[in-house]
Amino acid sequence: MMMLRLAAFIARKDLLLMLRQRETILWTFVMPIIFFYFIGSITGGYGGDAKAHPPRLAVTAASDSGFLAQEIIDHLEQQGIEVFTPEPDSTPIRSLSLPGGLTEEVLAGRQVALEVVDRTNNPLREMDIEMRITRA
């Protein structure tokens, strides 16, 4: 108990001694705020403006995928993704395939695999679109 009091006394006196120096106050309280502002202003627009350029996702749904396909598309749009149907002979940069029997499988309680293809070669955008699809 006595040792704890002595350690607290030494820590308190050391802190008061350090706070008397202007450099300690500057580097402890002022410079972190300046550093956060500087780094934040440099890296703030790194991902681009998501509202000005929403990610586009080509969604193909099998004809027998059921009503859940439309629900997934609606939720994707709520997540800020621009959903479109690809042309038959095109290869979209980012696509999601909804399999046939989707609604029946989900209602039966079985897990369904959705195929997501991303050819952007941008790991940050890939992670962003995967998180949005998962939320939807």
Side-chain angles (χ1 to χ4, degrees), residues 72-122:
I72 290 172
I73 291 171
D74 291 343
H75 281 80
L76 287 170
E77 289 172 344
Q78 288 174 358
Q79 290 295 322
I81 297 174
E82 183 181 330
V83 178
F84 68 97
T85 305
E87 299 294 325
D89 57 344
S90 69
T91 306
I93 294 174
R94 200 177 285 120
S95 66
L96 170 67
S97 297
L98 303 175
L102 172 71
T103 302
E104 291 80 21
E105 293 292 318
V106 170
L107 291 177
R110 292 187 285 272
Q111 189 173 12
V112 178
L114 305 179
E115 183 183 354
V116 179
V117 177
D118 194 334
R119 296 180 182 88
T120 58
N121 293 328
N122 184 343

Side-chain angles (χ1 to χ4, degrees), residues 40-58:
S41 64
I42 289 175
T43 62
Y46 190 67
D49 188 6
K51 291 183 180 178
H53 304 288
R56 297 189 68 200
L57 180 66

Side-chain angles (χ1 to χ4, degrees), residues 3 5 26 30 34 38 46 48 69 79 91 102 111 118 128:
M3 294 297 276
R5 254 191 243 151
L26 176 75
V30 178
I34 293 171
F38 178 72
Y46 190 67
Q79 290 295 322
T91 306
L102 172 71
Q111 189 173 12
D118 194 334
D128 175 51

